[in-house]
Amino acid sequence: MLFLTVLEWTKMRRSRFFKVLLLFLAIGTIGYYIYIYSNTVRTEEILSNLEVELLSTESQLVELEQQDQDGSLDQSSKNVLKIYHDSVPQLKAQIEGIDTGNWTLWAKANREFQKFDTSFATKPEWERTYPTRFTQDSHQSFLEWLEQRNIEPVWPMYVWLTSYDEVFDEGLEPIIRGNVDKRHGSNGSYFSYHLFNHLFTFIGIVFFMFLFSDIITKEGEGRNGPIHLLRTLPINRNAVLLSKFISVLLMTIGILAVVLILATLLGTLFDRFGDWDYPILIYGENYTFEWIPLGLFLLKSAGLFLLGLVFSYSILFFFSVLTNRAIIAIGITLTLLFLGNAWAEQSILSENAHLIPFHYLNVYTIVSNDFAVIQDNFAFSFKNGVLSLSIASLAILLMTCVLSIFRYRTRG
Amino acid sequence: MIINVKDLKKQYKKQEVLKGIDIQVESPQILALVGPNGAGKTTLMNCMMNLLSFNEGSIELLGKKHTDTSIFHNVSYMQDNRILYGDLTAYDHLQFICNIQKLHTSRIQAVADRVGMASYLKKRVRSFSLGMKQHLLLAMSIISEPKLLLMDEPINGLDPTSAINMRNILLELNAEGTTILISSHNLDEIDRLTSTIYFMKNGELLKESLDDFATNNYTLRVSHPVMAQQVLNERGLTFQMTDFESVSFEETIQPLHIVLETLYNHHIQVLSVQNERVGAERRYRELFESELSS
């Protein structure tokens, strides 16, 4: 088994197609980093904005205090004066926090500052007008997490958006969504999070299918291909199939690890390492939520993504044995994945929709429960994803083994 | 028993491709499998190697059932070059076999030298010529020093030097105790390798000992070719003139001593004598006359 795995590794190492795709992945990662880096809002910019805001607030405060001493200030202006009065020390604290890298100080001040929003905690939970109660609560909680752990945030922080925000004031939505989309972090850990958000998707599955398709189906089961070499050596027949599976999985893990290292290195080299315990929002049922560290989120996502790949590889193995032709097997598998995806979308409202494995191929939305919120069905959970993909893969692999034995007994 | 194939029958789409084949081999020897394309040679070998199923009969190799994968520690099969991985080097292939057969990798260089492929050991198979691929296939099949070696068309694509080298290797292996079953269209090579031939025709096997059919083809270079032609004609002997300076004849048709005597009596000098054994081709012609004439 070990030597078969080594053979698979050697095949991959020597394959030009494999190298070209890996190069493509590396170039893609570097290119994406350049994009993220050039779009990351820097601390200096935030600091400068805060200083401008402080100056403006202070000058307006002086003006309002003058008017107050003259007795020409009405009641609403007096409220504004109070807000300005309170906000100056908070702005100063934020500036000091950023200036000295004291993120606890910054987060605390920012959290206090957010509370000025008079609508805070007054909305019913079910109301979907931006900012929703959930959005405000989660933002406060997010800042608390940063405060407790002294974590530098990814800028800009003046907008916060969750999946519950659906109704916006006229003209506000593109601005808010635009600002949220601008939230890029070029530090190592956050860039990895960003990058894997694109890789741990259906597109990533298709990419890995292409990457390994040649190697998986190379032997051309049943033809006069290299399978005949393996069959005339003292090797257990099932070991061939199993070693391929293990090799491809190990190689996938290896590639993901290399991409993670590359992304982290790029971020660390050109920015900073970042924080593996940066908070990632996990939606809960009944408007609850929790935070998990970015590192754990990536780990869970990688796990689910690997199961998605196992599911896809199982289909490829099955058709590889069924059709005896590499290119046909790849074609059918990709078609089936696309059709499966489309079918899953169509049957999203059915009672047992959460059992369909095709739903779990866009990993981030599953791990964060974002998909569950959008579908208003928390059966689409990480746990059900693991179960659905595992059972489906196991069933397909079992079918493949049965088919393989049947084909072997009736060969020629 | 080294090979014990009993009453092997195989049907493919209602057509009987193997019709009760029997092969029994008890001592190490070289056996040839000869027949026209489609006669069932590769099918028989693939059945023996458990690459194809069959309908009736039984196969035992080295005393074990052919389905027992452990036989491949002592049985090798040199087959079609499509079994090779284009992206891998020759070394990769040999290393893999060494690993699977639990052999030391120092054998790789030794077998490469023996086969004559040391110069391209580290090159990818994709860039190999047909002959180079045959070299690699040979190296792969002999690296484990098997007790039984099956070879399907091993001489295809080999240049004369390589063909001679392969013949010598096979003779050496046989001398060391390896039984070799070789299928080939190259009847001259078969003649040089063995006298035991299995002729295959329409799925049937006919075992022949070439010693019963072998004959020598002589070519004599003579001092006076025109005169030689004249005297041999006068004596009523059957012969052919080759290159206007040599006399050729088959021994079974024309005994050598009569030709020599005739030439000697007419003071014609014999400058050289070339002898070629021609058993396989002669028997093949007899057996497959209908195919040859069509």
Side-chain angles (χ1 to χ4, degrees), chain A residues 264-278:
Chain A
T264 312
L265 267 179
L266 281 170
T268 310
L269 205 64
F270 295 102
D271 191 341
R272 64 191 176 90
F273 178 75
D275 305 278
W276 288 118
D277 56 351
Y278 197 81

Side-chain angles (χ1 to χ4, degrees), chain A residues 145-209:
Chain A
W145 180 288
L146 298 186
E147 186 184 330
Q148 285 160 9
R149 291 166 180 79
N150 192 29
I151 293 173
E152 179 178 346
V154 173
W155 312 108
M157 286 305 304
Y158 50 85
V159 281
W160 187 259
L161 200 63
T162 65
S163 296
Y164 289 107
D165 299 305
E166 287 178 357
V167 184
F168 292 82
D169 289 346
E170 204 178 332
L172 199 60
E173 185 175 8
I175 298 165
I176 292 169
R177 290 204 190 278
N179 281 325
V180 169
D181 290 343
K182 276 181 199 165
R183 195 173 293 152
H184 299 306
S186 59
N187 70 68
S189 58
Y190 204 77
F191 172 63
S192 304
Y193 170 74
H194 248 305
L195 181 70
F196 284 113
N197 188 22
H198 298 287
L199 200 60
F200 289 165
T201 56
F202 184 66
I203 302 215
I205 298 262
V206 172
F207 174 81
F208 275 96
M209 291 289 288

